[in-house]
Amino acid sequence: MWNRHNDNDILDFALLWEPLGGPGPDNVAAAFAIDVGEYHVRLGFAAKSQLARLQQGITSPERIYGLSTIAAFDRDLRTDG
Protein backbone atom coordinates (compact mmCIF):
# COMPACT_ATOMS: atom_id res chain seq x y z
CA MET A 1 0.00 0.00 0.00
CA TRP A 2 1.29 3.46 -0.91
CA ASN A 3 1.64 6.05 1.84
CA ARG A 4 3.52 9.21 2.73
CA HIS A 5 6.65 7.21 3.62
CA ASN A 6 6.68 5.93 0.05
CA ASP A 7 6.45 9.56 -1.12
CA ASN A 8 9.68 10.27 0.74
CA ASP A 9 11.26 7.15 -0.76
CA ILE A 10 10.25 8.07 -4.30
CA LEU A 11 11.56 11.62 -3.87
CA ASP A 12 14.85 10.30 -2.48
CA PHE A 13 15.07 7.84 -5.37
CA ALA A 14 14.34 10.56 -7.94
CA LEU A 15 16.91 12.90 -6.41
CA LEU A 16 19.50 10.12 -6.44
CA TRP A 17 18.89 9.39 -10.12
CA GLU A 18 18.42 13.00 -11.32
CA PRO A 19 22.14 13.67 -12.03
CA LEU A 20 22.16 10.51 -14.17
CA GLY A 21 19.17 11.53 -16.26
CA GLY A 22 16.57 9.68 -14.21
CA PRO A 23 16.02 5.99 -13.55
CA GLY A 24 15.30 3.43 -16.21
CA PRO A 25 12.17 1.27 -16.16
CA ASP A 26 14.10 -1.67 -14.68
CA ASN A 27 15.40 0.49 -11.83
CA VAL A 28 11.90 1.74 -11.04
CA ALA A 29 10.44 -1.76 -11.14
CA ALA A 30 13.17 -3.11 -8.86
CA ALA A 31 12.77 -0.29 -6.34
CA PHE A 32 8.98 0.06 -6.21
CA ALA A 33 7.41 -2.83 -8.15
CA ILE A 34 5.58 -0.36 -10.40
CA ASP A 35 6.02 0.62 -14.04
CA VAL A 36 7.71 3.83 -15.06
CA GLY A 37 4.40 5.52 -15.97
CA GLU A 38 3.05 4.94 -12.47
CA TYR A 39 6.40 6.12 -11.07
CA HIS A 40 6.01 9.46 -12.85
CA VAL A 41 2.45 9.86 -11.55
CA ARG A 42 3.52 9.11 -7.99
CA LEU A 43 6.61 11.28 -8.26
CA GLY A 44 4.46 14.18 -9.43
CA PHE A 45 2.05 13.64 -6.53
CA ALA A 46 4.91 13.39 -4.01
CA ALA A 47 6.56 16.57 -5.31
CA LYS A 48 3.26 18.45 -5.31
CA SER A 49 2.48 17.22 -1.79
CA GLN A 50 5.85 18.34 -0.40
CA LEU A 51 5.56 21.74 -2.08
CA ALA A 52 2.04 22.17 -0.66
CA ARG A 53 3.30 21.28 2.83
CA LEU A 54 5.98 23.94 2.44
CA GLN A 55 3.51 26.59 1.27
CA GLN A 56 1.15 25.78 4.15
CA GLY A 57 3.98 26.12 6.66
CA ILE A 58 3.69 22.46 7.71
CA THR A 59 7.37 21.92 6.99
CA SER A 60 10.33 24.20 6.47
CA PRO A 61 12.70 24.50 3.51
CA GLU A 62 15.52 23.19 5.70
CA ARG A 63 13.67 19.88 6.04
CA ILE A 64 13.24 19.49 2.29
CA TYR A 65 16.63 18.92 0.75
CA GLY A 66 16.66 19.20 -2.98
CA LEU A 67 13.74 21.65 -2.91
CA SER A 68 14.64 23.16 -6.29
CA THR A 69 14.79 19.69 -7.84
CA ILE A 70 11.45 18.70 -6.30
CA ALA A 71 9.89 21.87 -7.71
CA ALA A 72 11.36 21.01 -11.11
CA PHE A 73 9.86 17.47 -10.93
CA ASP A 74 6.45 18.97 -10.28
CA ARG A 75 6.80 21.54 -13.07
CA ASP A 76 8.19 19.06 -15.61
CA LEU A 77 5.59 16.40 -14.90
CA ARG A 78 2.74 18.90 -15.25
CA THR A 79 3.98 19.90 -18.70
CA ASP A 80 4.50 16.27 -19.79
CA GLY A 81 1.08 15.01 -18.83
Side-chain angles (χ1 to χ4, degrees):
M1 173 175 255
W2 202 263
N3 60 44
R4 184 168 295 173
H5 296 293
N6 296 106
D7 285 352
N8 292 337
D9 290 344
I10 206 164
L11 287 170
D12 288 343
F13 184 80
L15 290 169
L16 174 72
W17 277 96
E18 180 62 21
L20 304 172
D26 292 341
N27 304 112
V28 171
F32 300 107
I34 58 176
D35 68 34
V36 74
E38 181 69 13
Y39 164 79
H40 286 291
V41 169
R42 292 183 185 196
L43 176 58
F45 176 78
K48 190 176 300 186
S49 175
Q50 285 296 332
L51 291 172
R53 290 173 55 81
L54 180 64
Q55 290 170 346
Q56 294 168 5
I58 296 171
T59 192
S60 69
E62 293 81 28
R63 298 219 39 194
I64 302 177
Y65 63 93
L67 180 60
S68 62
T69 302
I70 291 170
F73 290 149
D74 180 51
R75 186 176 48 254
D76 292 346
L77 292 169
R78 276 188 282 138
T79 59
D80 288 346

